Amino acid sequence: MLKSTPADARAMREAILHHLTYSMGKDAAHATRQDWRMALSHAVRDQITDRWFASTRKSYEAKAKRVYYLSMEFLIGRLLEDGLVNLRMLDAANEALTALEQDPAAVIADEPDAALGNGGLGRLAACFLESLSTLGVPALGYGIRYEHGLFEQKFEYGRQVETPETWLQQPHAWEFERAEAKYRLGFGGSVAVRDGRSVWTPDEAVVAAAYDTPVVGWQGRWANTLRLWSAKPANESFDLDSFNAGDYIGATAPEAQARTISRVLYPDDTTEAGKVLRLKQEYFFTAASLHDIMRRFDSEHDDIALLPKKVAVQLNDTHPAIAGPELVRILHDEKGLPFDQAIDLARGVLGYTNHTLLPEALERWSEDIFHRLLPRHLQIIDRIDDAHAKAHPDRKVTIREPGTVKMGELSFVMAHRVNGVSALHTGLMKTTVFKELDRLHPDRIVNQTNGVTPRRWMLSCNPSLAELITATIGDGWLSDLERLTELEPNISDPEWLRSFTAIKRANKAELAAWMAAEHGVQVDPAAMFDVQIKRLHEYKRQHLNILEAIALWQEIRDNPDAGWTPRIKIFAGKAAPGYFFAKDIIRLINDASRVINDDPVTNKYLKVIFLPNYNVSLAERLIPAADLSEQISTAGKEASGTGNMKFALNGALTIGTLDGANVEIREHVGPENFFLFGMTAEEVEARRRIDGHAAQAIATDPRLARAIDAVRNGTFSPTEPGRYAHIANNIAGADYFLVSSDFTDYWRAQRAVDAAFRDQDQWMRMAALNTARSGWFSSDRTIRGYLRDVWEAETLV
Ligand SMILES: [N-]=[N+]=N[C@]1([C@H](N)O)O[C@H](CO)[C@@H](O)[C@H](O)[C@H]1O
């Protein structure tokens, strides 16, 4: 690893002190930790800004094709350490802060997470921006500058309680307000035809104001822009008359009304919100982004036919699907192009990524809401649908249905490429939700299996593992992750494996110390750390995991001296506030953990912990310390998963189903290094058709029956015995996600995990092989796929 020089540390110290004085207006004696963090952030931002300007200049000079990534979510997390790591200045910063008698880890951890996303979709967008910069692709991310990101999660008596997230209520070092980049947008109103042209006259207006955050890539060779839009009142003017009349609320109402659009992130993951404000948010950021994109294009090119050659816009799910009709409106209504040419140009620009097949997640807006909010766009969608019908007279699919606008179909018809996020998911798109459209457009669907950035998810969160890898194969792996395979010959070297093992053990000890300090939980770092961290959702089956824990607890109680493998089951994850069944699963896990952890007979063999307020920073703390990664979704339901990739790269073994990217992880790491269980997607469909499939499973597995009984009879809620009867009844009844039918095989696989973990050398060899063979899951590889198959754009470094 390129060690920073004392000069670097000295220069860094100078830069920190400069910003402490002139940016924070503080001297060292009176500076708070936040002041030191901001001063360091400004020092890093200076370094990034130079590279940022150089990248932007090069893009303009090259008249390069730009990639625009439109996403309602960017789950960024913290940016200070990411900047230091990508600029290779972390050591210099640590030395400088230490010399200034500051605790570097505490200063860096003082930064709030930018939690502008719900889960995988939002984090993927953040990993993609970092990879786009690392590869030197001229690109911009466009999203919303929510005042409140994903809610804070606290537990009160085991129940999830949500409180507003407040990242912007403290100074934010990374953004630049762009006063000149403002766009006036409209809603509602009516459409009239004048001189043969449709003219939309909105009756509500709002201004989108841009805030830019630089996103630097590995080694600081390139930096792109993340432009987030904030909603401002159309007329800046403060209503002084109302104020003077004492109507203080009235006086501020216009501003409050406007700000509502970018006030808060909708906390639903894979479920559509379906609220008017949500559609307003979707149009707000999409329209502002398209105006900004067209302004930039027009400033560089005067031949509109060049648009698809110079502009690639990727729709991160259907949330920005209005981009199709809006681009057609701009090209046809404003620029006067013929309608069909406008559609063709727009299609040449747009790519659409589908992230889920869950019916409740596919956005369908009511015609009424659409007409009220976007009357002109509804007309344009109807014309797009008619044009598609004319081009495909035998089609058995439409964008419009009576009273409904289907955003998935609209996105598909308006995109030149549509992709899924894992091989299995893309295959299922062709045989389920998009079967007919795939028949009509056989070469439109392509696969782009997800990936994660190794800079944040290995080098930054697991520096000691990164050190060992670089000491073994050099540091080329950080920009070419598939070179991790060069580690393989070393795995049979006992010395090397001891180092690898010691790193995992040290990470576990560090996590154990943190859990003791922050949550008063005592765990033995020698035990197996079995981790399931992701949003709470029935298809992700956290309830299957806790059911297995309950059965294991019962079995250990029966036979404490049977030589059990000590295990710590760690859960973390938020449930959408309105998803009550998921919130009850959280409460059950907390109630069960209290009973199991307090049981003197069993708690040296099994503990269950649910850590509150899961976010990017907590994931960075947990993943390097995991032995076992739980990826146990009902096959066919998890489009990809990305946590699964982060765990494998950090030397955790996966217990999982053949779902999403688990399939490709198992192919890459080898079936012998993966604990597979459960039905395949096809078997799931077949099993679901059997009446009483859950009862059948329970009848053949007394262990399952007993565990369900414990949930039903109040074992974990003695003060309210029936508290979890509905969960037990669901698992034993309809059981749509086949918890009961997959239980027996899950139990078998978990016991195989126990046996394997007892042979630590063998386990660590399997773990090291997971690290060595997971390089393909880099988001750099994914972005190279999009560049080749979807965007046809070049890199400039
Ligand atoms: N929405 N959505 N979809 C998801 C995730 N929940 O955010 O997108 C993620 C990113 O593509 C996928 O990994 C995950 O399987 C899928 O469920």
Side-chain angles (χ1 to χ4, degrees):
M1 185 72 70
L2 230 186
K3 277 280 167 247
S4 64
T5 65
D8 296 336
R10 219 184 357 268
M12 182 63 86
R13 201 174 67 236
E14 297 311 313
I16 294 171
L17 285 174
H18 170 84
H19 280 292
L20 191 67
T21 309
Y22 299 105
S23 301
M24 305 319 293
K26 284 286 185 72
D27 65 2
H30 301 91
T32 63
R33 177 172 295 154
Q34 185 183 83
D35 293 327
W36 287 110
R37 188 255 298 176
M38 288 297 288
L40 174 58
S41 301
H42 281 289
V44 173
R45 193 177 79 171
D46 293 354
Q47 298 295 326
I48 293 174
T49 305
D50 297 339
R51 290 153 171 94
W52 189 24
F53 286 8
S55 308
T56 306
R57 251 195 315 276
K58 275 205 197 110
S59 303
Y60 274 100
E61 280 152 15
K63 286 195 179 309
K65 180 169 189 176
R66 286 189 183 76
V67 171
Y68 296 106
Y69 201 79
L70 268 58
S71 179
M72 278 287 269
E73 305 185 14
F74 286 97
L75 197 41
I76 299 166
R78 294 178 178 138
L79 279 173
L80 176 53
E81 185 161 0
D82 185 63
L84 286 166
V85 163
N86 270 311
L87 292 174
R88 313 190 88 165
M89 291 177 177
L90 185 59
D91 299 336
N94 289 341
E95 271 168 65
L97 286 170
T98 308
L100 292 161
E101 290 144 23
Q102 298 303 312
D103 166 359
V107 168
I108 286 171
D110 176 73
E111 181 180 356
D113 270 40
L116 308 181
N118 279 286
L121 175 146
R123 182 56 232 177
L124 185 81
C127 283
F128 276 12
L129 288 190
E130 196 266 2
S131 281
L132 283 162
S133 291
T134 292
L135 296 174
V137 179
L140 275 88
Y142 281 113
I144 295 181
R145 181 180 181 266
Y146 300 105
E147 278 178 53
H148 302 286
L150 188 59
F151 62 84
E152 297 265 336
Q153 177 195 52
K154 292 188 176 58
F155 294 142
E156 286 175 4
Y157 308 105
R159 288 166 182 266
Q160 168 180 298
V161 174
E162 305 90 21
T163 53
E165 188 282 329
T166 56
W167 74 301
L168 280 181
Q169 279 162 18
Q170 55 178 289
H172 174 41
W174 304 107
E175 67 177 9
F176 294 87
E177 181 173 2
R178 294 298 190 216
E180 75 286 0
K182 281 194 169 70
Y183 297 92
R184 183 185 177 86
L185 306 168
F187 294 106
S190 59
V191 182
V193 178
R194 290 198 210 108
D195 328 330
R197 290 177 74 157
S198 299
V199 180
W200 174 31
T201 312
D203 61 8
E204 184 189 338
V206 64
V207 166
Y211 289 75
D212 288 355
T213 297
V215 178
V216 68
W218 175 233
Q219 302 197 46
R221 298 186 307 157
W222 192 270
N224 281 320
T225 304
L226 170 58
R227 177 160 280 187
L228 299 177
W229 300 102
S230 180
K232 311 277 183 194
N235 54 15
E236 293 295 343
S237 64
F238 169 63
D239 182 347
L240 195 55
D241 301 347
S242 310
F243 190 88
N244 291 341
D247 175 6
Y248 305 127
I249 303 298
T252 57
E255 202 215 348
Q257 177 65 20
R259 279 177 60 188
T260 309
I261 291 175
S262 56
R263 180 88 71 178
V264 64
L265 166 74
Y266 270 92
D268 311 286
D269 188 57
T270 60
T271 311
E272 73 161 321
K275 305 275 186 317
V276 173
L277 180 57
R278 173 72 177 191
L279 181 55
K280 267 187 158 180
Q281 289 184 331
E282 294 183 354
Y283 178 71
F284 167 77
F285 100 95
T286 302
S289 305
L290 286 174
H291 281 78
D292 198 47
I293 290 168
M294 292 310 294
R295 174 194 54 74
R296 191 173 295 105
F297 174 83
D298 291 340
S299 74
E300 289 185 301
H301 310 282
D302 44 28
D303 176 2
I304 194 68
L306 278 177
L307 195 62
K309 294 258 176 306
K310 294 297 181 181
V311 172
V313 172
Q314 193 66 26
L315 308 180
N316 198 19
D317 216 298
T318 58
H319 311 147
I322 195 70
E326 175 66 7
L327 194 46
V328 169
R329 189 186 70 79
I330 293 170
L331 296 171
H332 177 64
D333 290 7
E334 295 185 3
K335 289 183 176 292
L337 268 67
F339 197 86
D340 292 348
Q341 188 193 357
I343 290 184
D344 293 345
L345 281 178
R347 183 174 296 122
V349 164
L350 298 172
Y352 156 51
T353 301
N354 173 278
H355 292 269
T356 181
L357 302 175
L358 293 178
E360 70 269 25
L362 301 174
E363 290 189 296
R364 291 162 164 247
W365 287 103
S366 81
E367 179 179 327
D368 167 46
I369 288 179
F370 227 100
H371 180 69
R372 237 180 324 124
L373 225 52
L374 301 166
R376 177 58 185 146
H377 297 78
L378 190 57
Q379 293 175 346
I380 291 172
I381 291 170
D382 288 345
R383 284 189 67 181
I384 290 170
D385 213 3
D386 296 347
H388 191 255
K390 213 154 94 252
H392 306 278
D394 65 336
R395 71 174 190 166
K396 298 183 201 52
V397 61
T398 63
I399 297 170
R400 294 276 275 112
E401 269 170 20
T404 303
V405 182
K406 297 184 286 178
M407 305 309 272
E409 282 74 5
L410 171 64
S411 303
F412 192 112
V413 166
M414 283 308 295
H416 69 281
R417 279 285 174 278
V418 173
N419 74 278
V421 290
S422 76
L424 176 70
H425 169 64
T426 301
L428 288 171
M429 283 168 63
K430 292 181 175 183
T431 56
T432 60
V433 286
F434 293 123
K435 188 170 191 307
E436 171 63 0
L437 283 166
D438 182 52
R439 181 183 71 79
L440 298 170
H441 309 279
D443 53 5
R444 191 168 292 182
I445 295 181
V446 294
N447 179 49
Q448 301 297 341
T449 297
N450 283 345
V452 300
T453 167
R455 275 72 64 179
R456 181 179 291 267
W457 296 108
M458 292 184 81
L459 178 54
S460 181
C461 72
N462 200 344
S464 43
L465 175 60
E467 191 100 22
L468 174 65
I469 295 171
T470 297
T472 309
I473 62 170
D475 66 4
W477 60 279
L478 282 157
S479 46
D480 181 2
L481 202 58
E482 288 173 68
R483 292 188 54 187
L484 288 175
T485 53
E486 296 166 22
L487 290 172
E488 286 208 39
N490 303 276
I491 296 173
S492 52
D493 162 7
E495 190 44 45
W496 189 92
L497 194 65
R498 250 192 304 284
S499 308
F500 183 86
T501 302
I503 289 164
K504 179 61 77 178
R505 174 54 68 84
N507 290 341
K508 293 171 68 178
E510 192 180 329
L511 177 61
W514 179 82
M515 288 200 288
E518 293 296 316
H519 299 286
V521 183
Q522 308 303 332
V523 299
D524 172 4
M528 182 200 310
F529 282 18
D530 165 358
V531 181
Q532 186 174 22
I533 50 176
K534 51 188 73 231
R535 287 295 296 252
L536 250 291
H537 201 293
E538 287 163 89
Y539 84 78
K540 295 174 185 282
R541 299 202 291 192
Q542 281 92 349
H543 46 340
L544 172 60
N545 190 338
I546 194 63
L547 205 60
E548 191 270 339
I550 291 166
L552 178 59
W553 170 62
Q554 292 169 319
E555 203 99 351
I556 296 172
R557 282 178 67 81
D558 297 346
N559 202 348
D561 309 322
W564 298 98
T565 301
R567 184 190 287 242
I568 313 293
K569 276 196 181 258
I570 300 171
F571 291 86
K574 295 173 179 175
Y579 192 177
F580 299 106
F581 194 88
K583 290 171 87 165
D584 289 339
I585 292 175
I586 292 178
R587 193 179 183 193
L588 170 61
I589 296 170
N590 278 322
D591 275 349
S593 106
R594 194 169 25 76
V595 173
I596 292 171
N597 297 359
D598 296 352
D599 183 335
V601 177
T602 63
N603 60 16
K604 52 183 166 299
Y605 301 117
L606 176 64
K607 280 195 176 170
V608 175
I609 299 160
F610 202 125
L611 295 171
N613 205 34
Y614 178 56
N615 61 15
V616 171
S617 295
L618 183 53
E620 291 174 17
R621 190 183 288 281
L622 292 171
I623 289 169
D627 294 303
L628 187 69
S629 157
E630 297 270 355
Q631 309 297 334
I632 61 174
S633 53
T634 311
K637 292 297 174 195
E638 188 71 272
S640 165
T642 44
N644 46 9
M645 300 165 183
K646 296 161 187 169
F647 279 109
L649 282 165
N650 283 279
L653 300 182
T654 303
I655 183 166
T657 53
L658 281 178
D659 196 18
N662 293 356
V663 176
E664 290 153 277
I665 290 173
R666 184 169 172 270
E667 283 162 8
H668 278 83
V669 303
E672 69 285 2
N673 301 310
F674 188 105
F675 295 96
L676 179 68
F677 80 95
M679 286 172 280
T680 62
E682 292 75 27
E683 289 164 342
V684 162
E685 292 309 314
R687 180 75 181 178
R688 219 180 257 134
R689 285 193 287 273
I690 299 171
D691 284 347
H693 51 75
Q696 271 183 30
I698 295 165
T700 56
D701 187 334
R703 188 180 288 120
L704 169 60
R706 188 180 172 203
I708 293 174
D709 287 348
V711 172
R712 181 182 286 111
N713 64 22
T715 303
F716 308 109
S717 55
T719 59
E720 186 192 354
R723 179 181 294 169
Y724 299 114
H726 63 302
I727 295 181
N729 296 341
N730 174 288
I731 293 171
D735 195 24
Y736 181 81
F737 294 101
L738 302 173
V739 168
S740 290
S741 298
D742 261 348
F743 180 91
T744 307
D745 202 33
Y746 181 50
W747 175 270
R748 171 204 56 74
Q750 288 286 21
R751 300 297 72 80
V753 167
D754 281 343
F757 194 75
R758 282 196 285 276
D759 174 348
Q760 272 293 296
D761 272 2
Q762 177 51 20
W763 180 277
M764 294 316 288
R765 269 192 291 278
M766 294 162 75
L769 283 170
N770 267 264
T771 296
R773 295 175 178 175
S774 296
W776 189 78
F777 296 98
S778 166
S779 46
D780 298 352
R781 181 270 312 154
T782 311
I783 292 296
R784 286 197 192 96
Y786 278 91
L787 287 169
R788 184 187 59 243
D789 306 336
V790 182
W791 302 328
E792 294 170 14
E794 306 303 318
T795 63
L796 291 188
V797 292

PDB file of all heavy atoms in Angstrom, residues 84 141 170 199 256 266 527 559 650 697 703 740 745 770:
ATOM      1  N   LEU A  84     -11.107  10.164   1.597  1.00  0.00           N
ATOM      2  CA  LEU A  84      -9.726   9.931   2.044  1.00  0.00           C
ATOM      3  C   LEU A  84      -9.164   8.650   1.433  1.00  0.00           C
ATOM      4  O   LEU A  84      -8.019   8.605   0.974  1.00  0.00           O
ATOM      5  CB  LEU A  84      -9.698   9.853   3.572  1.00  0.00           C
ATOM      6  CG  LEU A  84      -9.866  11.166   4.331  1.00  0.00           C
ATOM      7  CD1 LEU A  84     -10.163  10.909   5.801  1.00  0.00           C
ATOM      8  CD2 LEU A  84      -8.626  12.049   4.166  1.00  0.00           C
ATOM      9  N   GLY A 141     -25.175  11.914 -11.564  1.00  0.00           N
ATOM     10  CA  GLY A 141     -26.304  11.301 -10.872  1.00  0.00           C
ATOM     11  C   GLY A 141     -27.312  12.409 -10.586  1.00  0.00           C
ATOM     12  O   GLY A 141     -26.922  13.521 -10.246  1.00  0.00           O
ATOM     13  N   GLN A 170     -27.282  19.734  10.432  1.00  0.00           N
ATOM     14  CA  GLN A 170     -25.929  20.111  10.849  1.00  0.00           C
ATOM     15  C   GLN A 170     -25.137  20.387   9.588  1.00  0.00           C
ATOM     16  O   GLN A 170     -25.548  19.970   8.509  1.00  0.00           O
ATOM     17  CB  GLN A 170     -25.310  19.011  11.683  1.00  0.00           C
ATOM     18  CG  GLN A 170     -25.287  17.657  11.027  1.00  0.00           C
ATOM     19  CD  GLN A 170     -24.608  16.671  11.949  1.00  0.00           C
ATOM     20  OE1 GLN A 170     -23.411  16.754  12.123  1.00  0.00           O
ATOM     21  NE2 GLN A 170     -25.394  15.807  12.553  1.00  0.00           N
ATOM     22  N   VAL A 199     -50.496  23.131 -25.855  1.00  0.00           N
ATOM     23  CA  VAL A 199     -49.848  24.032 -24.892  1.00  0.00           C
ATOM     24  C   VAL A 199     -50.386  23.719 -23.503  1.00  0.00           C
ATOM     25  O   VAL A 199     -51.593  23.811 -23.268  1.00  0.00           O
ATOM     26  CB  VAL A 199     -50.118  25.503 -25.263  1.00  0.00           C
ATOM     27  CG1 VAL A 199     -49.437  26.431 -24.258  1.00  0.00           C
ATOM     28  CG2 VAL A 199     -49.659  25.775 -26.687  1.00  0.00           C
ATOM     29  N   ALA A 256     -43.701  26.534   2.563  1.00  0.00           N
ATOM     30  CA  ALA A 256     -43.878  25.200   3.166  1.00  0.00           C
ATOM     31  C   ALA A 256     -44.452  24.240   2.130  1.00  0.00           C
ATOM     32  O   ALA A 256     -43.971  23.111   1.965  1.00  0.00           O
ATOM     33  CB  ALA A 256     -44.802  25.310   4.368  1.00  0.00           C
ATOM     34  N   TYR A 266     -39.801   8.669   0.878  1.00  0.00           N
ATOM     35  CA  TYR A 266     -40.832   7.667   1.190  1.00  0.00           C
ATOM     36  C   TYR A 266     -40.122   6.390   1.638  1.00  0.00           C
ATOM     37  O   TYR A 266     -39.244   5.887   0.930  1.00  0.00           O
ATOM     38  CB  TYR A 266     -41.709   7.398  -0.037  1.00  0.00           C
ATOM     39  CG  TYR A 266     -42.915   8.311  -0.119  1.00  0.00           C
ATOM     40  CD1 TYR A 266     -42.858   9.510  -0.827  1.00  0.00           C
ATOM     41  CD2 TYR A 266     -44.115   8.006   0.530  1.00  0.00           C
ATOM     42  CE1 TYR A 266     -43.950  10.365  -0.894  1.00  0.00           C
ATOM     43  CE2 TYR A 266     -45.208   8.852   0.478  1.00  0.00           C
ATOM     44  CZ  TYR A 266     -45.118  10.033  -0.235  1.00  0.00           C
ATOM     45  OH  TYR A 266     -46.212  10.886  -0.285  1.00  0.00           O
ATOM     46  N   ALA A 527     -17.312 -17.409  18.909  1.00  0.00           N
ATOM     47  CA  ALA A 527     -18.555 -18.018  18.414  1.00  0.00           C
ATOM     48  C   ALA A 527     -18.755 -17.655  16.946  1.00  0.00           C
ATOM     49  O   ALA A 527     -18.099 -16.748  16.416  1.00  0.00           O
ATOM     50  CB  ALA A 527     -19.730 -17.503  19.244  1.00  0.00           C
ATOM     51  N   ASN A 559     -30.934 -30.929  25.173  1.00  0.00           N
ATOM     52  CA  ASN A 559     -29.689 -31.716  25.177  1.00  0.00           C
ATOM     53  C   ASN A 559     -28.468 -30.791  25.210  1.00  0.00           C
ATOM     54  O   ASN A 559     -27.706 -30.701  24.261  1.00  0.00           O
ATOM     55  CB  ASN A 559     -29.698 -32.530  23.872  1.00  0.00           C
ATOM     56  CG  ASN A 559     -28.819 -33.734  23.970  1.00  0.00           C
ATOM     57  OD1 ASN A 559     -28.033 -33.837  24.915  1.00  0.00           O
ATOM     58  ND2 ASN A 559     -28.914 -34.569  22.953  1.00  0.00           N
ATOM     59  N   ASN A 650     -15.844 -10.240   1.764  1.00  0.00           N
ATOM     60  CA  ASN A 650     -15.189 -10.071   3.066  1.00  0.00           C
ATOM     61  C   ASN A 650     -15.040 -11.385   3.826  1.00  0.00           C
ATOM     62  O   ASN A 650     -14.913 -11.414   5.054  1.00  0.00           O
ATOM     63  CB  ASN A 650     -15.957  -9.042   3.902  1.00  0.00           C
ATOM     64  CG  ASN A 650     -15.666  -7.618   3.443  1.00  0.00           C
ATOM     65  OD1 ASN A 650     -14.656  -7.037   3.805  1.00  0.00           O
ATOM     66  ND2 ASN A 650     -16.550  -7.100   2.592  1.00  0.00           N
ATOM     67  N   ALA A 697     -45.861 -29.735   5.550  1.00  0.00           N
ATOM     68  CA  ALA A 697     -44.461 -29.615   6.023  1.00  0.00           C
ATOM     69  C   ALA A 697     -44.409 -29.763   7.537  1.00  0.00           C
ATOM     70  O   ALA A 697     -43.540 -30.449   8.082  1.00  0.00           O
ATOM     71  CB  ALA A 697     -43.906 -28.260   5.602  1.00  0.00           C
ATOM     72  N   ARG A 703     -40.023 -30.756  14.748  1.00  0.00           N
ATOM     73  CA  ARG A 703     -39.174 -29.652  15.239  1.00  0.00           C
ATOM     74  C   ARG A 703     -39.803 -28.323  14.807  1.00  0.00           C
ATOM     75  O   ARG A 703     -39.927 -27.372  15.575  1.00  0.00           O
ATOM     76  CB  ARG A 703     -37.766 -29.818  14.642  1.00  0.00           C
ATOM     77  CG  ARG A 703     -36.739 -28.896  15.176  1.00  0.00           C
ATOM     78  CD  ARG A 703     -35.380 -29.145  14.531  1.00  0.00           C
ATOM     79  NE  ARG A 703     -34.760 -30.395  14.981  1.00  0.00           N
ATOM     80  CZ  ARG A 703     -34.436 -31.408  14.154  1.00  0.00           C
ATOM     81  NH1 ARG A 703     -34.726 -31.321  12.879  1.00  0.00           N
ATOM     82  NH2 ARG A 703     -33.850 -32.502  14.606  1.00  0.00           N
ATOM     83  N   SER A 740     -42.563 -22.607   6.075  1.00  0.00           N
ATOM     84  CA  SER A 740     -42.691 -23.991   6.581  1.00  0.00           C
ATOM     85  C   SER A 740     -42.094 -24.999   5.600  1.00  0.00           C
ATOM     86  O   SER A 740     -41.327 -25.886   5.987  1.00  0.00           O
ATOM     87  CB  SER A 740     -44.171 -24.307   6.825  1.00  0.00           C
ATOM     88  OG  SER A 740     -44.632 -23.571   7.936  1.00  0.00           O
ATOM     89  N   ASP A 745     -35.193 -28.202   5.243  1.00  0.00           N
ATOM     90  CA  ASP A 745     -33.919 -28.167   4.518  1.00  0.00           C
ATOM     91  C   ASP A 745     -33.012 -27.063   5.058  1.00  0.00           C
ATOM     92  O   ASP A 745     -31.784 -27.187   5.066  1.00  0.00           O
ATOM     93  CB  ASP A 745     -34.174 -27.956   3.019  1.00  0.00           C
ATOM     94  CG  ASP A 745     -33.001 -28.444   2.181  1.00  0.00           C
ATOM     95  OD1 ASP A 745     -32.358 -29.441   2.604  1.00  0.00           O
ATOM     96  OD2 ASP A 745     -32.685 -27.818   1.153  1.00  0.00           O
ATOM     97  N   ASN A 770     -14.035 -17.711  -0.945  1.00  0.00           N
ATOM     98  CA  ASN A 770     -15.122 -16.790  -1.249  1.00  0.00           C
ATOM     99  C   ASN A 770     -14.566 -15.415  -1.605  1.00  0.00           C
ATOM    100  O   ASN A 770     -14.969 -14.804  -2.594  1.00  0.00           O
ATOM    101  CB  ASN A 770     -16.085 -16.692  -0.065  1.00  0.00           C
ATOM    102  CG  ASN A 770     -17.249 -17.668  -0.181  1.00  0.00           C
ATOM    103  OD1 ASN A 770     -18.313 -17.277  -0.647  1.00  0.00           O
ATOM    104  ND2 ASN A 770     -17.029 -18.920   0.179  1.00  0.00           N
TER     105      ASN A 770
END
